[in-house]
Amino acid sequence: MGVLVVGTVTLDTVETPNKRVENVLGGSGVYAAVAASFFGNPVRLVGVVGADFPHIYADFLHTRGIDLQGVKREGSGKTFRWGGRYAEDFNVRDTLFTELNVVSDFHPVLPETYKETPYLFLANNSPSLQLSIVEQATHPKLIVCDTMDFWINEEREALEALLARVDILILNDSEALLLTGDSNLIRAAQVILRYGPKRVIIKKGEHGAISVTESSFFSAPAYPLTQVIDPTGAGDSFAGGMIGYLASVEDTSEKAIRSAMVYGTVVASFNIEDFSINRQKDVQFSEISSRYCELQEVVRF
Amino acid sequence: MGVLVVGTVTLDTVETPNKRVENVLGGSGVYAAVAASFFGNPVRLVGVVGADFPHIYADFLHTRGIDLQGVKREGSGKTFRWGGRYAEDFNVRDTLFTELNVVSDFHPVLPETYKETPYLFLANNSPSLQLSIVEQATHPKLIVCDTMDFWINEEREALEALLARVDILILNDSEALLLTGDSNLIRAAQVILRYGPKRVIIKKGEHGAISVTESSFFSAPAYPLTQVIDPTGAGDSFAGGMIGYLASVEDTSEKAIRSAMVYGTVVASFNIEDFSINRQKDVQFSEISSRYCELQEVVRF
């Protein structure tokens, strides 16, 4: 089944204690779409780039089978640029700059061929923009959205309206605390469920992720990595891998979502082993399966 | 099989945002021994108390089948007193006071009947004192020890000597970072293995615990609690539950240790539902089994 990803397509500058890369392919839409593309579904990307967006990046996304019909090229503008720097242990990230460029005036309109897509991932964005996508989708089977501190603080009302319309909210632990004021993540998730989503997934970085519904609780392990190169895009890779798997099995049951979270974890683990989407370029599906099985062993008792 | 627990027996004053209790039964030895006592083994406790130690507390430990022959009563001294205060989210604890009293001059000598005990848990203490216990044990089958930042900073050499003699080191994430300087917990555990222990278990509080050996990695979930009353003693309850289970199955295999870590997690989860060892008083083994099964569901995918 098809997957629709709405998110940013960016040129990133990333500094880690070991290396610096400039204007590499990035953005929530890219990370999520590349992750989803491992599972053999049509992946449709919605976003915007400027005239300066390198053709080799577009070509790469095409080779992954990602439909770019929904990625608008603004002839007169520049692509969204983001710069970030990681501290020694990768737990702290400073944003060096954010140049929205073409993104600032972007109001996505779904191409006709995209509208019936059943599996939607709305990467972190303005909640009103995310809601406009929900309203354009004609046959959504599963709507997953992400958000961040900025929208929780600045567009709370729109965010609550969005939450009433989505199936799954994915956010990280500090965002869950910010949204609810509750530092107990399970209680925080229970509070968020009252806004409308059927499931809340809280990402905890090196501690894995949890999923909470009215009647279930799941704790997904992190993949045990000893070498982190660049964590940028890990959260979107997680979400993209998750929805990619769900679309491939055409199943949104508790069991399928648990597997999907672990597949998302695995794709994210590859993502952070190199800058940009470099590591994903040569990952075979057999490697994904192999790490999935490893994680089954990691939690077995 | 028998379990030997060497640790403190204290009178604690604990303040949480909701309540304050004074001079309640506490101490690493007590928490660990009570936890171990759920698994039907003889539990032998080594520690020291003062003349002021309430008989009702001793009586309670007796009713749990805990042998107190190794708990010296110093007629002229006062029992170790500790006071601590928890902040709103229970992640920060301030020590209000520490009155070592009878503990400051304590050099434990194992009673003859204790020496052959096969399963040893050496709760956080001076590494040289812990080592003296190792040297008195005649038939140890499994030696598990805990430590803390103070000893890592102040008695590094003695700690390294101890690590060469134990099977399992249990410590928390911040202590693992302090001991190795590495914030990646898996790498940190691998570094610690080089000091001698066959296994390193790192406690991560609400994020569960991990176990690392040369050839295995296990991630144990936390029990999903929405109500924390008092986390004091959770780490010692975890360790005590763990060694209690291992002694009961007479098995130190990877499989047994994984189960033991989950049993430890369960006992700790009950511990934090009330002050002191109050919650443990009425916990039935069937409730422990039930939470163990719940945790199997929590990680299943």
Side-chain angles (χ1 to χ4, degrees):
Chain A
M1 303 276 266
V3 174
L4 177 67
V5 172
V6 184
T8 55
V9 180
T10 66
L11 298 174
D12 291 350
T13 295
V14 180
E15 287 179 36
T16 70
N18 304 309
K19 198 175 166 182
R20 179 176 194 274
V21 294
E22 242 177 89
N23 291 325
V24 296
L25 180 58
S28 58
V30 167
Y31 282 112
V34 169
S37 73
F38 280 107
F39 298 88
N41 320 289
V43 178
R44 298 166 186 132
L45 181 58
V46 172
V48 61
V49 297
D52 58 345
F53 187 70
H55 285 284
I56 51 158
Y57 289 165
D59 291 346
F60 164 72
L61 295 171
H62 273 303
T63 66
R64 302 288 312 186
I66 297 168
D67 185 342
L68 301 180
Q69 209 191 134
V71 179
K72 197 173 170 191
R73 188 179 277 266
E74 282 286 3
S76 59
K78 285 179 72 182
T79 302
F80 184 170
R81 279 173 168 73
W82 174 83
R85 183 198 289 139
Y86 291 91
E88 195 61 54
D89 68 358
F90 290 99
N91 285 328
V92 180
R93 178 171 84 183
D94 293 324
T95 292
L96 299 176
F97 58 85
T98 305
E99 297 167 10
L100 290 177
N101 300 327
V102 292
V103 166
S104 45
D105 281 327
F106 183 55
H107 302 287
V109 177
L110 293 190
E112 280 307 315
T113 53
Y114 278 30
K115 287 186 176 169
E116 291 193 359
T117 315
Y119 289 83
L120 277 66
F121 174 58
L122 312 174
N124 166 44
N125 217 319
S126 129
S128 48
L129 186 149
Q130 290 171 304
L131 195 57
S132 84
I133 300 291
V134 173
E135 282 163 354
Q136 292 175 64
T138 57
H139 294 75
K141 200 169 138 75
L142 185 78
I143 304 178
V144 180
C145 79
D146 191 0
T147 193
M148 72 180 288
D149 48 4
F150 181 81
W151 310 114
I152 296 169
N153 286 324
E154 304 297 325
E155 292 203 21
R156 175 93 194 195
E157 209 172 313
L159 179 59
E160 290 184 16
L162 173 72
L163 291 180
R165 300 285 298 276
V166 304
D167 299 294
I168 302 179
L169 172 67
I170 301 187
L171 73 180
N172 69 33
D173 39 11
S174 65
E175 291 156 356
L177 166 60
L178 181 66
L179 183 55
T180 63
D182 198 324
S183 65
N184 180 299
L185 294 180
I186 302 162
R187 278 201 313 254
Q190 288 166 343
V191 169
I192 297 169
L193 287 176
R194 286 187 227 134
Y195 291 114
K198 294 176 199 70
R199 181 181 302 268
V200 175
I201 292 176
I202 301 179
K203 297 172 287 183
K204 308 191 295 176
E206 60 168 327
H207 303 302
I210 60 170
S211 159
V212 179
T213 71
E214 282 293 345
S215 59
S216 72
F217 177 79
F218 173 55
S219 172
Y223 185 81
L225 274 184
T226 52
Q227 202 67 269
V228 173
I229 301 296
D230 174 15
T232 309
D236 294 304
S237 298
F238 170 80
M242 195 183 109
I243 203 155
Y245 171 79
L246 291 171
S248 74
V249 295
E250 299 182 34
D251 186 355
T252 58
S253 66
E254 173 74 21
K255 184 168 184 298
I257 286 176
R258 289 178 173 215
S259 289
M261 285 174 66
V262 178
Y263 276 112
T265 298
V266 168
V267 177
S269 76
F270 284 114
N271 175 66
I272 69 185
E273 289 184 339
D274 205 340
F275 288 92
S276 183
I277 40 63
N278 292 339
R279 181 70 178 92
Q280 286 93 314
K281 284 179 185 166
D282 62 7
V283 170
Q284 302 300 311
F285 194 77
S286 60
E287 293 173 87
I288 292 177
S289 298
S290 163
R291 285 197 178 179
Y292 183 91
C293 294
E294 268 184 75
L295 284 173
Q296 287 185 310
E297 279 310 308
V298 155
V299 300
R300 191 185 304 280
F301 67 87
Chain B
M1 303 275 267
V3 173
L4 177 66
V5 171
V6 183
T8 55
V9 180
T10 66
L11 297 175
D12 291 348
T13 295
V14 180
E15 286 180 37
T16 71
N18 304 309
K19 198 175 164 181
R20 180 175 194 272
V21 294
E22 243 177 90
N23 291 326
V24 296
L25 180 59
S28 58
V30 167
Y31 282 112
V34 170
S37 72
F38 280 106
F39 298 88
N41 319 289
V43 178
R44 297 164 187 134
L45 181 58
V46 172
V48 61
V49 296
D52 57 347
F53 188 70
H55 285 283
I56 52 159
Y57 290 164
D59 291 346
F60 164 72
L61 295 170
H62 271 130
T63 66
R64 302 288 312 186
I66 297 167
D67 185 340
L68 300 181
Q69 207 190 135
V71 178
K72 196 172 170 192
R73 187 180 278 264
E74 283 286 1
S76 58
K78 285 179 72 181
T79 302
F80 184 172
R81 279 172 168 73
W82 173 84
R85 181 198 291 138
Y86 291 91
E88 194 62 53
D89 68 359
F90 290 99
N91 285 327
V92 180
R93 179 172 82 184
D94 294 323
T95 291
L96 299 176
F97 59 84
T98 305
E99 298 167 8
L100 291 177
N101 300 326
V102 291
V103 166
S104 46
D105 282 325
F106 183 53
H107 303 287
V109 177
L110 294 190
E112 279 307 315
T113 52
Y114 279 30
K115 287 186 177 170
E116 291 193 0
T117 315
Y119 290 83
L120 276 66
F121 174 57
L122 312 174
N124 167 44
N125 219 318
S126 131
S128 48
L129 185 149
Q130 290 172 305
L131 195 57
S132 83
I133 299 291
V134 173
E135 282 163 354
Q136 292 175 63
T138 56
H139 294 75
K141 200 170 139 78
L142 185 78
I143 305 179
V144 180
C145 79
D146 191 359
T147 192
M148 73 179 287
D149 47 4
F150 181 81
W151 310 114
I152 295 170
N153 285 323
E154 304 297 326
E155 293 203 21
R156 175 92 193 195
E157 209 172 314
L159 180 59
E160 289 184 17
L162 172 72
L163 291 181
R165 301 285 298 275
V166 304
D167 299 295
I168 303 180
L169 172 66
I170 301 187
L171 73 180
N172 69 32
D173 39 11
S174 65
E175 291 156 356
L177 166 60
L178 181 66
L179 183 54
T180 63
D182 198 325
S183 65
N184 181 299
L185 294 180
I186 302 163
R187 279 201 312 255
Q190 289 167 343
V191 169
I192 297 169
L193 287 176
R194 286 187 227 134
Y195 291 114
K198 295 177 199 69
R199 183 181 299 269
V200 175
I201 292 176
I202 302 180
K203 297 172 287 183
K204 308 192 295 175
E206 60 169 326
H207 303 301
I210 60 170
S211 158
V212 179
T213 71
E214 282 293 345
S215 58
S216 72
F217 177 78
F218 174 55
S219 172
Y223 185 81
L225 274 185
T226 52
Q227 204 66 269
V228 173
I229 301 296
D230 174 15
T232 309
D236 294 305
S237 298
F238 171 81
M242 196 183 110
I243 204 154
Y245 172 78
L246 290 171
S248 74
V249 294
E250 298 182 35
D251 186 354
T252 58
S253 67
E254 173 73 21
K255 184 169 183 299
I257 285 175
R258 288 178 174 215
S259 289
M261 285 174 67
V262 178
Y263 276 112
T265 298
V266 168
V267 177
S269 76
F270 284 114
N271 176 65
I272 69 185
E273 288 183 339
D274 205 340
F275 289 91
S276 183
I277 39 64
N278 292 339
R279 181 71 178 90
Q280 286 93 312
K281 283 179 186 167
D282 61 7
V283 170
Q284 301 301 310
F285 194 77
S286 61
E287 294 173 87
I288 292 177
S289 298
S290 162
R291 286 197 177 180
Y292 182 91
C293 294
E294 268 184 76
L295 283 174
Q296 287 185 311
E297 279 311 307
V298 155
V299 300
R300 191 185 304 279
F301 68 86

